[in-house]
Amino acid sequence: MSKRDYYEILGVEKTATDEELKKAFRRLAMKLHPDRNPDDPATQDKFKEAKEAYEILSNAQQRAVYDRHGHAGLSGGGGGGRAGPGDLGDIFGDIFGDIFGGRGAGAQRQRRGADLRYVFELNLEEAVSGVEREISLPTLVSCHHCNSSGSADGKTSTCKTCAGHGRVRMQNGIFSIQQACPTCGGSGKVIANPCTYCHGAGRLEEEKIVRVKVPAGVDHGDRIRLSGEGEAGPAGSSAGDLYVEMAVKEHPIFKRDGDDLYCEIPIRITTASLGGEMKVPTLDGSAVLKIPDGTQTGKTFRLRGKGVQSIRSNNKGDLMCRVVVETPIRLNAEQRDLLAQLETSLTGESADHSPRSSSWLDSVKDFFGRIGA
């Protein structure tokens, strides 16, 4: 009886990726596994067939031979035969190892220290010009008493639970899976004489001082990664990283948007009407802003190059000054009289002196005329 096509057995196309092959076999294995069908020889044969198909197609060299020459190109058809307990453990360790924590009994996972996050508060001036400052953070640091080995005498012995492999095989229902050894934590070694200071952990809780250099131009929410400045790893393994996140405080004058700065400039009604010059603040000192006569509230003036130096390019932002015309309050009798005289002199000439007001009044009259008010 001729063998079925391997792709047909797994229910995939010939262009299937390794991941698609794995998913297809996983689906069939859970349905056809002999432990689930102990009294059904036909189903067990189907499982054996699916296992053989996956073993061939998951091997790049054997798959290439099969694609070119079919079953005839594989001596003995891929080495069939009923899968024994050891065979099932190997193939299921490969298929489901990523779910249950690793591949292969000899694989020892490098345990790394945890990454840390620190919120670095700074004002706008510091963010724009850059700053260097020391920070203190509670963390786990390498034990200097045992040189982070965790051993008082520097000696270790092979873990008896996993025989030095760092992984143990566990039975989970019908699946034989592998996981990190609970005795040695995956290192394959145990400490005979633990350090009395860190109790064999190789690290201690301490306040760590780190010097942080913040480059000029950072913005709120930017992060700096300091490699190896995080939590120390257990028993001398590599440390994690420290992520320093910028938190720029609100400024009483400026607001930042990218590389540009914005501010509001209050001016007197006389300056807005007659024009003039005034000093405005910038991060570099003061600058002179020329106010033309007839300036209205909301008019924005751009001072080029008075913004923030970009951290990613040579460009420098601008300072945008928005004018707000301030109405005078708490007037004395003389001042009120002068304003009244001004109002009288403007009466009848609103189109010349207040074009926006005149236009608005014309629109209102037109509106009321349409609705018959």
Side-chain angles (χ1 to χ4, degrees):
M1 180 177 179
S2 60
K3 284 191 173 185
R4 293 173 59 202
D5 179 75
Y6 285 147
Y7 293 102
E8 180 184 343
I9 293 171
L10 296 179
V12 297
E13 300 292 334
K14 288 188 176 183
T15 56
T17 63
D18 290 343
E19 186 63 26
E20 290 171 338
L21 290 172
K22 182 186 293 186
K23 288 182 179 179
F25 176 68
R26 182 186 301 173
R27 183 174 59 253
L28 290 172
M30 296 182 70
K31 177 181 177 182
L32 304 174
H33 195 278
D35 289 350
R36 284 192 169 184
N37 305 275
D39 302 321
D40 189 349
T43 301
Q44 293 179 16
D45 288 339
K46 289 181 180 179
F47 175 78
K48 168 188 160 184
E49 188 180 47
K51 175 180 176 292
E52 178 182 316
Y54 178 74
E55 287 178 330
I56 296 299
L57 297 182
S58 62
N59 183 300
Q61 293 181 341
Q62 290 183 317
R63 182 177 181 178
V65 172
Y66 177 73
D67 287 344
R68 293 184 62 185
H69 305 290
H71 292 290
L74 302 170
S75 319
R82 186 171 296 279
D87 299 326
L88 293 177
D90 290 341
I91 193 166
F92 274 88
D94 179 61
I95 289 293
F96 298 106
D98 55 338
I99 298 178
F100 299 104
R103 295 176 178 270
Q108 295 185 4
R109 179 174 299 178
Q110 177 68 24
R111 293 176 297 164
R112 179 175 173 271
D115 293 336
L116 299 178
R117 174 177 172 266
Y118 182 89
V119 178
F120 191 100
E121 290 191 347
L122 67 169
N123 57 41
L124 179 62
E125 289 86 349
E126 291 173 325
V128 170
S129 61
V131 65
E132 191 170 351
R133 189 191 305 165
E134 287 186 344
I135 63 173
S136 174
L137 59 156
T139 184
L140 292 173
V141 300
S142 297
C143 177
H144 58 274
H145 300 285
C146 64
N147 198 26
S148 72
S149 68
S151 173
D153 53 14
K155 297 179 180 179
T156 60
S157 58
T158 301
C159 176
K160 295 180 179 180
T161 303
C162 64
H165 296 298
R167 320 261 330 151
V168 292
R169 189 179 295 278
M170 304 293 290
Q171 192 71 29
N172 188 356
I174 66 171
F175 302 126
S176 178
I177 62 174
Q178 294 177 353
Q179 63 183 32
C181 175
T183 303
C184 65
S187 67
K189 300 288 184 180
V190 292
I191 298 170
N193 186 14
C195 171
T196 56
Y197 294 92
C198 66
H199 307 289
R203 51 187 183 171
L204 299 168
E205 290 187 8
E206 285 186 6
E207 286 282 332
K208 182 178 181 180
I209 304 298
V210 179
R211 191 159 193 84
V212 179
K213 186 175 182 180
V214 178
V218 296
D219 202 354
H220 187 85
D222 286 348
R223 293 200 309 172
I224 300 173
R225 182 173 71 90
L226 300 180
S227 180
E229 293 291 355
E231 187 178 279
S237 59
S238 60
D241 299 331
L242 171 61
Y243 289 88
V244 182
E245 183 173 326
M246 302 297 115
V248 182
K249 301 175 186 177
E250 287 192 9
H251 196 275
I253 298 175
F254 304 109
K255 292 187 181 298
R256 180 176 175 179
D257 184 8
D259 296 330
D260 293 330
L261 294 176
Y262 291 78
C263 70
E264 284 194 347
I265 307 295
I267 63 174
R268 293 179 179 178
I269 190 172
T270 51
T271 304
S273 301
L274 304 176
E277 293 184 351
M278 63 182 305
K279 286 186 177 181
V280 295
T282 75
L283 292 177
D284 301 325
S286 62
V288 175
L289 181 63
K290 293 184 178 181
I291 308 294
D293 61 89
T295 296
Q296 304 292 324
T297 289
K299 174 68 176 178
T300 300
F301 298 91
R302 181 191 299 268
L303 297 181
R304 297 192 179 277
K306 295 298 183 180
V308 180
Q309 175 65 55
S310 174
I311 194 173
R312 299 175 179 84
S313 69
N314 293 325
N315 297 329
K316 192 170 184 180
D318 302 327
L319 173 60
M320 315 296 288
C321 300
R322 181 179 181 272
V323 166
V324 177
V325 180
E326 189 172 27
T327 302
I329 60 175
R330 292 192 289 272
L331 301 175
N332 59 33
E334 181 183 0
Q335 292 166 338
R336 295 177 68 88
D337 183 59
L338 289 172
L339 281 180
Q341 292 181 42
L342 175 62
E343 174 64 20
T344 300
S345 69
L346 295 176
T347 302
E349 301 178 4
S350 58
D352 293 330
H353 304 298
S354 305
R356 294 180 63 183
S357 177
S358 178
S359 176
W360 181 80
L361 288 173
D362 290 340
S363 298
V364 170
K365 291 178 181 178
D366 182 62
F367 169 74
F368 283 137
R370 291 200 307 272
I371 64 175

